[in-house]
Amino acid sequence: QVQLVESGGGEVQPGGSLRLSCAASGGTLTNTNMGWFRQAPGKEREFVATITWSGGSTDYADSVKGRFTISRDNAKNTAYLQMNRLTPEDTAVYYCAATRGLYLTIRRRYVGNYDYWGQGTQVTVSS
């Protein structure tokens, strides 16, 4: 049904910024909650940030809070992740995901609660 495609990844120096986009096709993101997750080599996929359909509620992992901002433009059927002050520890493949489930904030951190996933976009932070 809904297809998600991430873009905007690349290589950046420590302290730099990137803006990731997640575009939906084959359906809309109407009534979905969105999440960004990442997976570094040798590690499991981990929660980064989530946002509700209305954009009224956001949640961030402690490791990115204050540096990353999740947002969405429902008219464009797109979600975003603005990443600032990047560090080498942020290096990973970043995935966006969507769910139509109505989960409490903490449960929106769970990978297993998402129905749709993108293919991922590589973010590499190095000097």
Side-chain angles (χ1 to χ4, degrees):
Q1 192 177 352
V2 176
Q3 306 293 319
L4 303 177
V5 179
E6 302 95 338
S7 63
E11 299 181 49
V12 65
Q13 296 181 341
S17 298
L18 286 173
R19 189 193 191 202
L20 306 183
S21 297
C22 175
S25 62
T28 72
L29 296 176
T30 301
N31 296 326
T32 66
N33 293 322
M34 301 293 300
W36 284 96
F37 298 80
R38 66 187 183 186
Q39 187 166 18
K43 300 178 66 177
E44 294 187 349
R45 192 167 300 186
E46 66 176 1
F47 155 77
V48 175
T50 62
I51 187 169
T52 57
W53 158 247
S54 68
S57 179
T58 58
D59 187 31
Y60 297 92
D62 289 343
S63 60
V64 307
K65 193 171 185 178
R67 299 188 298 120
F68 290 12
T69 302
I70 187 172
S71 63
R72 66 193 300 167
D73 187 337
N74 291 336
K76 296 181 178 180
N77 222 22
T78 302
Y80 306 94
L81 184 69
Q82 178 67 47
M83 306 185 295
N84 298 324
R85 301 188 300 282
L86 287 161
T87 74
E89 288 68 40
D90 295 316
T91 295
V93 176
Y94 283 70
Y95 300 88
C96 71
T99 178
R100 298 192 187 279
L102 300 177
Y103 300 104
L104 295 175
T105 299
I106 190 170
R107 297 193 181 277
R108 294 197 292 269
R109 297 183 171 196
Y110 300 156
V111 169
N113 284 342
Y114 287 81
D115 304 302
Y116 310 106
W117 290 87
Q119 293 297 306
T121 184
Q122 177 70 48
V123 172
T124 301
V125 185
S126 66
S127 59

